[in-house]
Amino acid sequence: MVFVRACEEADHPALAGLMAQMQAHYRVPCPPDAEIRARLANRPAGTELLVAEHDGALVGFAAFSAIYPGPGLKTGCFLKEIYVAEAARGLGTGRALLAELARLALDRGLGRIDWTAARDNERLLRFYESLGATPQPEKVFFRLTGEGLARLAEG
């Protein structure tokens, strides 16, 4: 059985390892373990983490924040990242993480959860739709980084 709960400081070493696995899964560079742990300990105010455990091991996590304003000037939730270790896929880990996030959102009066997903991952998209989520084709996801970010900041 998968158990989901709020991340605690004692989870940081195992969570750092899970985050390194995620980076490898996405084939993107990964900072050293000590840097991941330092960022976990000093993450921005308002960011939260849920962790999923199976047989005493961390097997997944979800990172999210409350956002404001949303439609009707209501508060919502943005799911920044959700990851399930490959060995734990098929156990209901992703569903358990998102169900707990949905419970938290409703308990806190957050009217919706938004997130992004890769367009080419059809299995993932079907999973999200099976939960009752709907794609939002009228939205476009933007990112400002690197030189573009620096250029804009300089004015």
Side-chain angles (χ1 to χ4, degrees):
M1 178 162 189
V2 175
F3 176 68
V4 176
R5 60 178 174 75
C7 179
E8 300 170 359
E9 189 174 341
D11 297 318
H12 289 184
L15 184 54
L18 197 56
M19 288 180 160
Q21 287 178 31
M22 178 184 70
Q23 295 300 95
H25 172 79
Y26 289 120
R27 296 181 180 97
V28 294
C30 185
D33 183 75
E35 189 173 327
I36 298 171
R37 290 186 197 196
R39 288 180 182 170
L40 282 168
N42 297 298
R43 63 185 186 271
T47 59
E48 296 184 66
L49 294 161
L50 292 174
V51 293
E53 290 181 307
H54 178 68
D55 289 339
L58 250 54
V59 296
F61 74 93
F64 62 98
S65 298
I67 54 172
Y68 177 82
L73 298 179
K74 295 181 181 175
T75 307
C77 179
F78 186 77
L79 173 64
K80 171 54 185 92
E81 196 68 60
I82 183 168
Y83 180 74
V84 174
E86 193 167 331
R89 293 181 189 158
L91 298 175
T93 307
R95 180 177 289 276
L97 282 162
L98 287 166
E100 181 61 20
L101 182 55
R103 281 188 286 278
L104 283 174
L106 290 175
D107 287 350
R108 295 174 183 185
L110 308 177
R112 70 191 227 186
I113 302 170
D114 291 317
W115 68 92
T116 63
R119 285 188 175 118
D120 62 349
N121 190 335
E122 291 182 24
R123 182 175 175 228
L124 182 63
L125 298 177
R126 283 193 307 274
F127 167 68
Y128 289 148
E129 289 176 358
S130 79
L131 301 174
T134 54
Q136 302 298 302
E138 71 279 3
K139 298 291 183 178
V140 177
F141 178 65
F142 284 90
R143 179 173 292 140
L144 188 58
T145 186
E147 289 181 28
L149 178 63
R151 226 179 4 263
L152 182 59
E154 291 169 5

